[in-house]
Amino acid sequence: RYDEALRILTKQSGQWHPNVIDALGNRGALLLAQGDFDGARRDFKDALERNRKVRGADHAFVGYDLMNLAQLAFDENQLDEALARLEEALEIFRAKLPAQHAYIGAALTLQGRTLVQAQPPADAEAPLEEAARIWADEFGDRSPEHAIARATLARAWFLQGRRPDEIAEILRKS
């Protein structure tokens, strides 16, 4: 059904309309959640290319497309690729968005998760601490986003044998 809706939207608005581009990214996220990595990659790359042409290479939605590609790479355990895409996304986000924006929090959380997987987990601490601050400021310290950032930070500490007294409390609150 999403395919049909996207086809109709494209026919009515044209392939370069921002709503069509956004719908491609949304379908890519749906395909990623369904485990269709090839379909997600196709849609994310298509949305990225179109966003660069329509909105400009430094638009926040270009950063969001890069973050989507980073999530795909993370899910495929292509950690270096994920980190590279996240660096590109964060460069755009930090230049275009307020410091406490949710896109920055999301990119930092994924960067931290990726760094914990890639090792060494100590490299994940700074992005996860910043992400946790953003989520607490944006949505409160009881938000799922804050809990994920803090739980991942606790995992980084655990893997290093650091701050054992704090880990249990963080995980309990998460």
Side-chain angles (χ1 to χ4, degrees):
R1 293 182 184 216
Y2 204 100
D3 293 338
E4 181 66 13
L6 184 56
R7 187 188 66 71
I8 292 168
L9 181 61
T10 302
K11 184 177 179 181
Q12 290 177 344
S13 303
Q15 71 174 344
W16 299 104
H17 193 281
N19 290 346
V20 172
I21 299 168
D22 297 344
L24 276 169
N26 291 339
R27 184 176 67 181
L30 174 64
L31 293 171
L32 180 60
Q34 293 174 336
D36 181 356
F37 293 165
D38 291 334
R41 181 177 295 101
R42 181 185 63 246
D43 282 354
F44 290 154
K45 285 185 174 183
D46 195 2
L48 175 62
E49 177 186 326
R50 293 184 198 195
N51 263 325
R52 282 180 170 152
K53 287 181 182 178
V54 171
R55 291 177 165 135
D58 63 346
H59 193 279
F61 286 175
V62 168
Y64 198 83
D65 293 333
L66 290 164
M67 189 167 57
N68 280 336
L69 286 166
Q71 181 65 60
L72 172 64
F74 177 85
D75 289 355
E76 292 180 313
N77 203 36
Q78 296 176 0
L79 304 180
D80 289 339
E81 174 73 12
L83 290 170
R85 295 296 149 255
L86 287 164
E87 285 299 322
E88 291 178 81
L90 281 164
E91 184 177 334
I92 293 169
F93 292 157
R94 290 188 191 282
K96 294 293 181 177
L97 301 173
Q100 296 297 107
H101 196 279
Y103 286 5
I104 295 173
L108 289 168
T109 300
L110 182 55
Q111 184 180 50
R113 291 176 60 213
T114 305
L115 288 166
V116 167
Q117 291 295 107
Q119 301 290 323
D123 293 349
E125 288 184 43
L128 290 167
E129 287 170 350
E130 184 179 353
R133 281 191 302 275
I134 290 171
W135 294 128
D137 289 347
E138 285 293 298
F139 302 128
D141 62 3
R142 296 185 51 81
S143 71
E145 296 85 1
H146 183 261
I148 290 167
R150 294 287 293 163
T152 307
L153 180 59
R155 181 169 181 238
W157 291 340
F158 175 79
L159 291 171
Q160 299 173 77
R162 295 188 53 228
R163 300 169 83 162
D165 297 340
E166 296 175 57
I167 292 171
E169 180 64 16
I170 289 172
L171 294 178
R172 186 187 64 73
K173 288 181 177 179
S174 297

